């Protein structure tokens, strides 16, 4: 598997050389205006003229040829045509994802487990498939993606479940949950990290009836478990998997929602040693709410390494996740009245650090899922943004899942960007009403309500929590249906009044993420002067029946006018 990944990684670096794409060429549709530019007027054109990494002209082919001497210094322009039936759109962005974590999630397919025993069996198979790992029982085994809510018995796992397998037993194991807000560890990992405090602010240590840790640590409690230091080979393996997968589904820009210092250092080393990255990364540097403020000691940077690496934003966690019951709500959970979730950071700390980061030149992006968390974060933004030009700061609410109508109006008035994930809606809709009740659930994933409030949105997936394919997010946004055409409300969709239009969804994964990352002057639409990042899709997702969207294939993904995946 690793050998195949290495070969494919080399292949997409060499593909444009093998195809012999000229420095300057016209990219056209043979079927008229099938290039969706996503400009201010949402216009469509027949052709683009690409020179080097930029688009230098657009329009019909005859006009482009007539202007080519002045636009490109050429009297004759070679033409490349997209296949019949296809369309061309700007390179797609994922506004909220976890790059290296996705690569880790593909090593052990924990998300495919439908019972706790089956999930442990995947860990066993991974060990048995790696002879060095099988021989060395001291090597830490890490994985990502288990989801107790999808098991036959929806209860949290324990260390005893791992010990029940003779191959897994006795090994240090650390497994991240699908939503990233809990870890499940083995008995040996517990022993090596003990003792544990009775309680931890913003986190939960799940215990048995006698008060002993069961092996699951939620939110801030995850920090009590020491992780092994990844080598560059480990990180490179994860990165290759993620890049290959992203380019194959048409993603050219990724907003990494929580770069730790090690990840950012790896990306910088990679640029220094290997040159420009194979796609664009916009990093949100993780802020540890229990650590020291560092916004005035580290300088944000943007558009480095040929405009492919930026780290000018920070990521703060306000609360946990809905799936694991950590999202901070105003009222108790309907299916667990003993709790209303927990804040991972206090309102006082938020009000101190948010304005400081903004003043020191950082974009501030805050994870907020529950209605209480969103309200508290908006309180902090309201104070910090008073009397300033918000368009120069562009703060973001990451997820903005459950918001009261009043807070949606505040969001729009403040100009804070809502970074939302449509595929979360079609995953969570099956348990959402049980968790929140019939009235409160109406405020969950209220995308139309956000737009009607005047708020800006930007779309992502949160992969590896959800699938990496942005077309699934497009489909979810416009249908509010599972990919099999079902929902708790029937074939009309779950709260169908909250659907986005197709153009809103397309803009949400092209020009809106560009604005949300301060790159709209170079990315996000196919107009002269911008980078030639584009995707060729096999079908017209803007017009085909919705149930055919998920059949659409990515035929080519190009970055700076060079094909990185597929053919042209």
């Amino acid at each position: 598997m690793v050998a195949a990944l290495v070969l494919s990684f080399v292949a997409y670096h060499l593909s444009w050389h093998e195809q012999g794409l000229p420095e300057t060429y016209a990219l056209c549709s043979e079927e008229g205006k099938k290039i969706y530019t996503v400009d201010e007027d949402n216009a469509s054109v027949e052709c683009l003229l690409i020179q080097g990494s930029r688009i230098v002209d657009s329009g019909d082919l005859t006009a482009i040829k007539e202007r080519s001497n002045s636009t490109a210094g050429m009297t004759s322009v070679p033409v490349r045509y997209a296949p019949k039936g296809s369309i061309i759109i700007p390179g797609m962005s994922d506004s909220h994802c976890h790059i290296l974590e996705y690569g880790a999630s593909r090593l052990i397919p924990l998300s495919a487990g439908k019972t706790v025993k089956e999930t442990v069996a995947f860990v066993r198979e991974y060990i048995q498939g790696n002879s060095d790992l099988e021989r060395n029982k001291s090597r830490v085994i890490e994985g990502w993606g288990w989801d107790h809510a999808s098991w036959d018995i929806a209860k949290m796992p324990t260390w005893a479940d791992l010990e029940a397998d003779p191959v897994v037993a006795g090994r240090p194991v650390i497994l991240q949950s699908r939503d990233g807000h809990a870890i499940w560890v083995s008995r040996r990992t517990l022993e090596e990290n003990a003792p544990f405090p009775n309680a931890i602010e913003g986190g939960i240590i799940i215990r048995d009836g006698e008060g002993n840790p069961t092996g699951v640590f939620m939110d801030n409690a995850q920090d009590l478990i020491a992780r092994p230091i990844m080598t560059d080979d480990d990180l490179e393996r994860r990165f290759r998997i993620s890049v290959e997968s992203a380019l194959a589904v048409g993603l050219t820009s990724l907003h990494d929602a929580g770069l730790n210092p090690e990840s950012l250092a790896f990306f910088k080393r990679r640029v220094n040693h290997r040159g420009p990255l194979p796609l664009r990364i916009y990093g949100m540097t993780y802020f540890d709410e229990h650590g020291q403020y560092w916004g005035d000691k580290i300088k944000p940077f943007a558009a480095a390494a040929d405009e492919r690496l930026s780290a000018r934003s920070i990521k703060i966690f306000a609360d946990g996740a809905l799936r694991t019951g950590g999202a901070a709500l105003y009222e108790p959970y309907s299916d667990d009245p003993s709790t209303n979730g927990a804040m991972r950071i206090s309102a006082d700390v938020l009000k101190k650090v948010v304005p400081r980061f903004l003043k020191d030149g950082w974009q501030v992006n805050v994870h907020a899922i529950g209605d209480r968390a969103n309200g508290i974060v908006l309180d902090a933004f309201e104070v910090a943004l008073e009397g300033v030009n918000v368009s120069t700061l562009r703060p973001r609410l990451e997820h903005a899942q459950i918001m009261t109508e009043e807070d949606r109006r505040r969001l729009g008035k403040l100009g804070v960007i809502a970074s939302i994930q449509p595929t979360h809606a079609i995953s969570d809709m099956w348990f959402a009403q049980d968790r929140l009740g019939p009235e409160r659930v109406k405020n969950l994933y209220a995308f139309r309500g956000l737009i009607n409030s005047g708020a800006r949105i930007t779309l992502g997936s949160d992969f590896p929590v959800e699938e990496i394919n942005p077309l699934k997010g497009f489909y979810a946004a416009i249908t509010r249906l599972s990919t099999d055409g079902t929902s708790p409300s029937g074939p009309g969709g779950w709260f169908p009044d909250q659907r986005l239009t197709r153009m809103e969804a397309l803009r949400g994964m092209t020009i809106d993420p560009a604005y949300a990352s301060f790159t709209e002057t170079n990315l996000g639409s196919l107009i002269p002067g911008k980078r030639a990042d584009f995707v060729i899709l096999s079908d017209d997702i803007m017009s085909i029946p919705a149930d055919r969207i998920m059949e659409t294939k990515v035929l080519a993904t190009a970055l700076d006018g060079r094909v990185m995946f597929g053919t042209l």
Side-chain angles (χ1 to χ4, degrees), residues 95 255 282 363 365 394 396 417 457-458 511-520:
S95 294
H255 298 191
Y282 183 78
Q363 180 191 40
N365 305 339
R394 305 185 192 182
R396 294 166 47 163
I417 298 167
I457 64 168
T458 188
I511 192 63
D512 291 336
Y515 178 84
S517 57
F518 299 88
T519 55
E520 75 276 11

Side-chain angles (χ1 to χ4, degrees), residues 174-190:
I174 306 172
L175 305 176
Q176 191 81 51
S177 65
R178 173 183 166 182
D179 62 14
H181 286 268
I183 53 173
W184 167 24
V185 304
S186 63
R187 179 168 61 184
R188 180 166 174 179
T189 300
L190 284 174

Side-chain angles (χ1 to χ4, degrees), residues 272-292:
N272 291 335
H273 295 156
R274 304 191 181 199
L277 297 168
L279 41 63
R280 305 188 196 281
I281 296 176
Y282 183 78
M284 309 178 202
T285 305
Y286 170 63
F287 173 67
D288 180 358
E289 58 271 24
H290 299 296
Q292 296 295 313

Side-chain angles (χ1 to χ4, degrees), residues 195-407:
F196 301 105
N198 292 328
I200 181 167
E201 184 179 354
I204 297 172
I205 303 171
I206 296 183
R207 300 177 185 273
D208 60 22
E210 297 179 356
N212 299 311
T214 64
V216 172
F217 296 74
M218 294 173 57
D219 293 314
N220 286 354
Q222 296 176 93
D223 296 336
L224 298 173
I225 301 297
R227 307 291 185 99
I229 297 174
M230 294 288 101
T231 67
D232 269 13
D233 286 343
D234 293 329
L235 296 171
E236 181 66 22
R237 186 179 303 111
R238 295 179 180 190
F239 184 59
R240 287 175 174 174
I241 293 170
S242 300
V243 169
E244 178 77 8
S245 299
L247 292 173
V249 294
L251 289 168
T252 56
S253 297
L254 304 177
H255 298 191
D256 195 302
L259 283 180
N260 58 38
E262 292 77 20
S263 298
L264 181 56
F266 165 72
F267 291 136
K268 287 180 177 179
R269 286 196 302 274
R270 201 182 189 287
V271 168
N272 291 335
H273 295 156
R274 304 191 181 199
L277 297 168
L279 41 63
R280 305 188 196 281
I281 296 176
Y282 183 78
M284 309 178 202
T285 305
Y286 170 63
F287 173 67
D288 180 358
E289 58 271 24
H290 299 296
Q292 296 295 313
Y293 176 80
W294 46 258
D296 56 350
K297 299 178 179 64
I298 300 173
K299 296 298 181 185
F301 67 89
D306 201 22
E307 298 186 359
R308 297 193 185 185
L309 181 61
S310 297
R312 62 170 300 171
S313 64
I314 63 142
K315 171 73 174 298
I316 298 173
F317 282 91
D319 66 344
L322 184 66
R323 184 175 291 269
T324 46
L329 306 176
Y330 283 119
E331 302 296 332
Y333 282 86
S334 297
D335 59 354
D336 185 3
S338 68
T339 181
N340 63 341
M343 291 292 294
R344 290 181 59 171
I345 188 171
S346 71
D348 288 341
V349 173
L350 271 174
K351 288 180 179 178
K352 288 178 183 176
V353 300
V354 168
R356 288 189 69 185
F357 272 115
L358 291 173
K359 183 180 178 182
D360 286 325
W362 294 88
Q363 180 191 40
V364 176
N365 305 339
V366 186
H367 163 114
I369 289 182
D371 50 10
R372 178 162 58 102
N374 277 288
I376 290 171
V377 174
L378 285 178
D379 289 342
F381 278 140
E382 198 162 30
V383 173
L385 296 174
E386 187 174 358
V388 303
N389 180 0
V390 71
S391 66
T392 65
L393 303 174
R394 305 185 192 182
R396 294 166 47 163
L397 270 181
E398 300 299 321
H399 305 303
Q401 285 185 9
I402 314 167
M403 298 186 75
T404 64
E405 185 175 349
E406 178 185 352
D407 279 342

